[in-house]
Amino acid sequence: MRFSLYAALAMLAIPLLLSATPSDAHHGWNAYDAGKVIKVEAPVEVVRYQNPHGEIEITYEGKPWVVVLAPPSRMQARGLPKEDLTVGTKVLIEAYPKRDGEAEMRAERVTVNGKTIELR
């Protein structure tokens, strides 16, 4: 039986496509420096409790930063409902900064109202 070049390429590509996870497609978590932990306590300035993941904005080192959170379903299941993340609420964030110097960090845990929630 003879296969065309296209069929051979498809056979090679399918396992690669099936092995990709949604996080590979959406995020490059390796874009964040897990060797540098940022701990910051600040009031929430902007809230985006949305899919594919929530975000808040805070001021860190005198400038606005985006803090990437978990998906809303995970935050809800772990005890961080939308009602707990409101503008003006003080949060303690433990996060990793982006390697490229962009003012963005990926949160590992957040403490709100005295309750610590593991996001990853």
Side-chain angles (χ1 to χ4, degrees):
M1 181 190 294
R2 297 182 79 191
F3 287 100
S4 71
L5 177 59
Y6 295 116
L9 289 174
M11 290 177 64
L12 291 172
I14 289 172
L16 291 174
L17 292 173
L18 293 175
S19 68
T21 65
S23 63
D24 292 332
H26 179 71
H27 293 288
W29 288 132
N30 60 349
Y32 299 90
D33 188 347
K36 294 181 183 175
V37 178
I38 294 174
K39 278 186 157 181
V40 59
E41 188 171 21
V44 174
E45 297 172 6
V46 175
V47 178
R48 287 183 286 279
Y49 202 94
Q50 63 191 18
N51 283 311
H53 53 74
E55 295 177 343
I56 60 173
E57 291 183 24
I58 61 169
T59 295
Y60 174 63
E61 296 183 337
K63 64 181 181 180
W65 280 66
V66 173
V67 180
V68 179
L69 304 171
S73 60
R74 184 181 312 155
M75 290 190 291
Q76 184 77 29
R78 294 188 180 175
L80 183 58
K82 184 177 187 174
E83 299 77 36
D84 286 357
L85 277 180
T86 58
V87 172
T89 301
K90 191 172 273 191
V91 293
L92 174 63
I93 302 290
E94 294 179 56
Y96 306 129
K98 276 195 90 175
R99 292 179 191 275
D100 67 5
E102 185 179 340
E104 181 178 297
M105 59 182 88
R106 179 188 76 150
E108 284 296 307
R109 65 194 51 81
V110 60
T111 302
V112 180
N113 301 324
K115 181 173 54 173
T116 301
I117 296 90
E118 297 291 330
L119 299 178
R120 302 286 168 232

